[in-house]
Every structure is written in C-alpha cells, then in structure tokens.
Amino acid sequence: MKPFPPNNFKQWPPALLAVLAAMWLLPSCAGGLGGIGNAFSDSMEPLLAQQLAASVVQQMPMEQDKAANAYVQGLTTKLASHSDRPDLKYRAFIVDSDDVNAFTVGGGYIFLHKGLIARSRTESELAGVIAHEIGHNVGRHLTKKLVTTFGLAIVVAVAQGENPSQSRQITGAMLGVGGSLLSLKFSRSNESEADRFGVDEMVRAGHDPAGLPSFFGVLRDLYGDRGGIEQYFASHPPLGSRIQNTEAIIAGYGARASGLQKDSAAFRQVRSSMSSLTRHLGVDTFTVAAGERKRMQLDVDVKRAQDLILKLQVKAQGGSGNDIRIIVTDEAGATRVEQNKNPGSSTTFVRMVSRETITLPLINKRKYVIFFDNSFSSVSSKVVTVRASMHYKAN
C-alpha cells in the first residue's frame, strides 16, 4: 500500500495541494492553521523558485566568470546565514547585462546584473542590494504575489513543473519580456520591509549597513529619484524616501551599526572584472530585396561610460557572392544615403560582407543609422542574420 501523502509533490492529489496552498496563505498564528501553512510554504516555495529560475536562465545571458560567481555566492551565503530564514538554500547568479538591477524569484534564488556590480562603489553597497533581495525571500513577497496575480492553481502547477509555458510567462512578466512590468511589482510595504530586513542582516553579518542607502544614492545619480526601472513602478517609494528611511533604521541600531566592514580587496577585484559591460541589442533575421536598403537606428546614450564599441556579427545568404553592403553613419550621413548619394563623412563606415564580425568605435550621446544595403544589385535578394551588441567600460 502506497503511503499517503507521497513525498513527491507531483503525486499529490490536486485537491489536497489546493487546500494546503490555501492554508499557506493564511496568517500565521501559534497552534493554528497558519503554522501548518508556513511549513508547507517552506517545502513548496523552493520547487516553485527552481522552475522560475530555470526559465530565467533560458531567457537571459548568464555571466560565466567563475571567480565572480563564487564571490557573489559567498557574500550571499554569509548574509543569508544571518537572516530570519537561514535554513533556505540561497543561490546567487550574475546576469550578463549592463542593467543596474537585481531581482529574486523567491526560494533563495537571487539574480544580480553585471552592471549593478560594476556600478557598486564598495562591498557594502553590493551587500546592501543582496541583503535587500534576501529580505524579499524572508518576507516570501514574490511567492505571495504570484498567487495573488496568477491564481493558486497555476502557481501549484508551475511548482510541480507541469506548466513550463506558464513559467516562462511569469518570468517574462518579471523581466519585461512579453509581459507587463507592472504585473509583478512589489508594494511599498514589501519594499520597505525588505529594506528593513536587509539592514538587519548586514548588521548581524558585520557589513556596514550604510551601503544600502548609499547604493540608492548611486541609482538616484544615474536615473533620478525613481531609480531606473523603478520609474515604471508607481508603488515603489522614491529613492529619496528610501534613503531617509533606511538611514533612520540604521540610526536605531546605534553603536552596533558603526565600524563594520565597508570594503574588501576581493570585491575590488571582482568589480574590476565586471566593469567591462555588454548591452545585447538583439538578434534579427530579415530579407533585403534587390535594390533595397534596410534601415535601423541606434541611439547611444549610456550613463557614465567610456570606450564604447559596436559589434555586428553579420551573415548574408543569397546570390552574387552572398555579399551585403553595411553602412554605419550618423543622421547627417544617413540623409545623404537616402538621397542616393555617398555619405561623404569621415565617420561613415562602409564594407561589403558575407560572414564577418564588424567592430566599430562609437561616440556617446549620438544617434547612428545602420543600413543593410542591397541597392547595388538588381537580381538577387539577401537573407541577413545580424547579432548586435554594444560594449563599454563603466566609469
């Protein structure tokens, strides 16, 4: 006779799963159903997070630097061991993106964008961000939000791995890929609670908690008071308020919050390795008919950057030796090209390519136009595949 219920969640009857999940959502109270619900959450949440994390890894480029990943994992583990959920297994990942951003999918899975590490000025600033994301895990904010947004049945199915398309939809909404950025925003109370948990974790772990409001200052300098992606989230507290609030929380710790670790040689080494950033502009395959020019525009506007480089990996297929003419110029040169004239500018790049990687220097705060030009041919179309990225050094 099989034991009931089985240890494998996939074998549990859907009705039982729904009842247990509903119990998990109830407020905790000693000796009541909330205690059972929290125990269920501790078992189910990592399963849900595992599915979501796998979907994130499929949708986003991940940084492969072993030393950087090991450092971030070590810092996360240290901070998490001083949190109010120390038994949750925390896993930290670096996203190969120049965005100054971090997020969690719950269950101890935390993702840090490479650009965030590059923009952090001290270890305590980076630790503050990680501690804040750990705080969201302590509060189970994302998991509760998912149940509210998508419904209990869908979240249970995703946790059991039965609905991978829904998992991609959820992570797409979180990442702004095929979904609404607004659909999964945290509330002001969630953000404030995560800040408070983060400060507490840093003090306990011996890291200077002033790093958290200090990093909010970095975001404000870069993006204004709404802090980059937070400009989409009306419910997020403005950064000025968060700086004041976290500084007030820190003041409440008195002498316990002073003289703690602010920086380290290990952080400075990792930050240096992360400061070479890549902005993935996308991959596209399109047809350029005989006599046609395909026009694309690139607006270069990067905060605090130097040594900007455009990389185009181009493959052309078709008649006439498979060649396609690439023209990269500014708006003035583009006007001349569109008037069937030679761009006539020293900053204009022109080359015939079939399968080649083109690397060009860029000037910040300038608009560029890229032409895939088949106007010289009247007899054959070209199928062109382009992988475009922009590389630069954070300063």
Side-chain angles (χ1 to χ4, degrees), residues 11-185:
Q11 300 176 37
W12 289 30
L16 177 61
L17 281 171
V19 170
L20 290 174
M23 291 163 60
W24 160 60
L25 289 173
L26 294 174
S28 177
C29 55
L33 293 177
I36 298 174
N38 284 336
F40 177 72
S41 172
D42 288 344
S43 299
M44 185 177 185
E45 188 182 8
L47 299 178
L48 173 63
Q50 184 177 5
Q51 299 294 334
L52 297 179
S55 181
V56 170
V57 170
Q58 290 175 356
Q59 295 183 66
M60 303 195 77
M62 307 307 294
E63 174 60 46
Q64 301 302 315
D65 187 314
K66 292 182 179 179
N69 278 290
Y71 167 79
V72 167
Q73 181 62 59
L75 183 57
T76 301
T77 300
K78 178 183 178 184
L79 290 163
S81 68
H82 294 275
S83 74
D84 288 341
R85 292 188 75 186
D87 297 331
L88 189 62
K89 186 175 181 180
Y90 289 83
R91 302 168 179 86
F93 301 85
I94 302 174
V95 180
D96 184 10
S97 164
D98 68 346
D99 288 341
V100 185
N101 197 19
F103 62 93
T104 180
V105 295
Y109 287 86
I110 293 172
F111 292 85
L112 304 168
H113 287 244
K114 188 177 178 182
L116 182 142
I117 300 173
R119 300 298 192 188
S120 299
R121 298 170 297 187
T122 63
E123 184 175 66
S124 65
E125 289 187 347
L126 178 60
V129 174
I130 295 173
H132 172 87
E133 297 304 327
I134 293 172
H136 281 307
N137 282 268
V138 171
R140 296 179 174 87
H141 296 153
L142 181 73
T143 315
K144 294 175 182 178
K145 182 66 178 178
L146 291 179
V147 173
T148 302
T149 303
F150 293 96
L152 187 59
I154 288 177
V155 174
V156 169
V158 170
Q160 295 179 88
E162 294 179 351
N163 197 338
S165 63
Q166 186 67 58
S167 178
R168 288 192 295 272
Q169 179 184 339
I170 290 172
T171 52
M174 293 171 60
L175 305 173
V177 180
S180 170
L181 284 169
L182 294 171
S183 63
L184 290 174
K185 64 180 182 290

Side-chain angles (χ1 to χ4, degrees), residues 289-292 320 374-381:
E292 180 188 8
S320 304
N374 198 23
S375 62
F376 56 88
S377 173
S378 60
V379 295
S380 64
S381 298

Side-chain angles (χ1 to χ4, degrees), residues 27 35 42 76 92 162 171 196 215 255 267 283 307 328 336 349 375:
D42 288 344
T76 301
E162 294 179 351
T171 52
R196 178 169 54 81
F215 191 79
F267 166 77
V283 182
D307 302 332
V328 182
R336 294 182 63 83
F349 170 89
S375 62

